[in-house]
Amino acid sequence: MKRLLIALFCILSLPAFAAEPTATQAEATDKEAFSPGEMILHHISDSHEWHFATFGDEEHGSHLTIPLPVIAYQPAQGLSVFSSSNLAHGQAYNGLKLEHEHLMAEDGGKVYDFSITKNVASLLLSAAILLLVFTAVARGYRTNHGRAPRGIQSFFEPIITFIRDEVAKKSIGPKYERYMPYLLTVFFFIWFNNLLGLMPGAANLTGNIAVTMTLALLTLIITLASSNKNYWAHIFATPGVPKPLLIIMIPVELIGVVVKPFSLMIRLFANITAGHIVVLSFISLIFIFKSIFISPVTLAFGLFINVLELLVAILQAYIFTLLTAMYIGGAVEDHHDADYQMGGGDGADDAHVARAAH
């Protein structure tokens, strides 16, 4: 994947090495040149409007766009609520303007932006879909109690059972039930939003680092809130480690407490964002080379990566949920003697058998 990204970067950079144009050519180029980087950033970034498509020329064509509410507070002027259509095409409204999708005051004053942006609207949409879907699933469990699942329940039941048996039980242990609502919410929230992000004109919600950071912080809070004395004993008095080495081990273990959710945040953000960038990069090649002969190749590779993203969508949801369950499992794990059986042998085997029986 790294080599693919490097190759795409080199290809997308080819126009920069072209011969220097004349003044007339440069003026025409400024109006007509296609900027792949600008296009890609526009599609993966948040926005104050929900843009689906453009028909015709970018400047004079028609745009299929849904304006979103702008909610801003200025200490000098108070609260402002209006449609984002008032800020389209660089216009200013009520002393506010948009610069690179950042809401700013014309006089340079402080602005607190509470707007319903594209990512926020997508978040609300996915939450509504989750409520509708799992309300129907819960209704199916009540209706078909003691009978074979039917309808939408039959599709989601194997997935829910898999998360319970293969993720929660094996990673957390006997106390898994109290964490099942969170694990299922995280899994389906990430999966649904990953799939929604692959639709034309959709928002890149799980490719937004603020969203992945919030999910990672929730995991950290639940892990620390569930931790017992044995969890902290492993950090401040790691079993089997000579006491002089604790000077090194304690800071390392404390850093590890923060690094684990940090890795959750970066992994999900980077994988989802990279997938969108690769697909858009292949599409950009058509407009860069302006040749019909390259279209079949770029579309084929773009379609392949897009189909691969369907697998990545559920894989990243599974990985995030599995690692979350493992971190929680480490925090709630009870003390056992196997920690001190460093060399194995009969004592260690007996301890493993006792834990399995428990």
Side-chain angles (χ1 to χ4, degrees):
M1 183 61 75
K2 289 182 179 178
R3 293 180 180 178
L4 180 61
L5 289 174
I6 293 172
L8 285 172
F9 175 79
C10 295
I11 294 172
L12 296 177
S13 303
L14 284 175
F17 297 98
E20 185 176 350
T22 62
T24 306
Q25 291 174 332
E27 192 173 324
T29 302
D30 288 339
K31 295 181 180 179
E32 301 176 3
F34 171 73
S35 174
E38 184 178 341
M39 184 274 289
I40 291 171
L41 287 176
H42 173 73
H43 278 80
I44 66 174
S45 301
D46 200 3
S47 173
H48 283 76
E49 62 181 13
W50 199 322
H51 178 77
F52 291 95
T54 299
F55 303 98
D57 183 70
E58 183 69 27
E59 293 185 4
H60 305 98
S62 58
H63 300 268
L64 181 57
T65 302
I66 298 177
L68 298 171
V70 175
I71 305 171
Y73 177 77
Q74 298 173 269
Q77 300 185 18
L79 187 67
S80 300
V81 181
F82 55 89
S83 171
S84 63
S85 60
N86 295 308
L87 300 176
H89 309 295
Q91 299 174 354
Y93 183 82
N94 202 20
L96 298 170
K97 61 181 180 178
L98 282 176
E99 288 189 6
H100 304 290
E101 290 302 332
H102 291 287
L103 195 64
M104 303 183 70
E106 286 187 293
D107 58 4
K110 187 70 175 177
V111 178
Y112 298 94
D113 190 2
F114 303 100
S115 304
I116 305 298
T117 61
K118 183 178 179 180
N119 280 343
V120 175
S122 180
L123 176 65
L124 296 174
L125 175 63
S126 64
I129 293 173
L130 283 168
L131 286 173
L132 289 174
V133 168
F134 288 99
T135 299
V137 172
R139 190 184 305 116
Y141 273 106
R142 289 193 299 267
T143 305
N144 302 318
H145 183 68
R147 292 179 292 176
R150 298 175 58 188
I152 194 171
Q153 179 195 358
S154 63
F155 176 80
F156 284 101
E157 183 169 345
I159 303 173
I160 295 171
T161 303
F162 176 82
I163 297 298
R164 183 194 66 189
D165 295 341
E166 301 299 324
V167 175
K169 282 185 178 180
K170 291 187 176 181
S171 300
I172 300 177
K175 302 177 182 179
Y176 77 93
E177 286 188 351
R178 62 186 300 188
Y179 303 102
M180 277 296 294
Y182 176 68
L183 295 178
L184 290 174
T185 301
V186 165
F187 176 82
F188 286 108
F189 176 83
I190 295 174
W191 185 29
F192 277 34
N193 280 289
N194 287 349
L195 293 177
L196 288 173
L198 297 176
M199 298 177 66
N204 181 33
L205 185 65
T206 45
N208 186 308
I209 199 165
V211 174
T212 60
M213 180 184 69
T214 302
L215 293 173
L217 282 175
L218 288 173
T219 295
L220 176 62
I221 291 170
I222 291 174
T223 300
L224 295 181
S226 304
S227 60
N228 54 31
K229 62 180 182 180
N230 297 311
Y231 174 76
W232 296 106
H234 277 69
I235 293 176
F236 292 102
T238 308
V241 175
K243 292 190 181 299
L245 284 180
L246 290 178
I247 300 174
I248 300 174
M249 289 301 299
I250 291 174
V252 170
E253 291 288 343
L254 288 174
I255 292 172
V257 172
V258 180
V259 168
K260 288 175 182 177
F262 181 79
S263 68
L264 287 178
M265 173 185 72
I266 296 298
R267 182 184 291 104
L268 180 58
F269 160 74
N271 278 281
I272 299 304
T273 302
H276 291 309
I277 290 175
V278 171
V279 172
L280 293 170
S281 298
F282 277 121
I283 295 173
S284 298
L285 295 176
I286 300 174
F287 301 95
I288 291 174
F289 290 100
K290 298 180 180 179
S291 171
I292 193 173
F293 299 105
I294 199 173
S295 300
V297 178
T298 56
L299 289 176
F301 275 103
L303 181 61
F304 170 75
I305 296 298
N306 207 36
V307 172
L308 191 63
E309 284 294 292
L310 293 174
L311 175 63
V312 173
I314 191 168
L315 182 63
Q316 288 302 317
Y318 167 71
I319 291 173
F320 195 102
T321 308
L322 176 63
L323 292 176
T324 295
M326 291 176 64
Y327 299 156
I328 295 173
V332 302
E333 185 180 19
D334 292 326
H335 173 75
H336 49 74
D337 293 334
D339 289 334
Y340 302 98
Q341 302 293 335
M342 304 302 293
D346 295 336
D349 292 338
D350 292 342
H352 285 301
V353 171
R355 287 205 312 279
H358 177 69

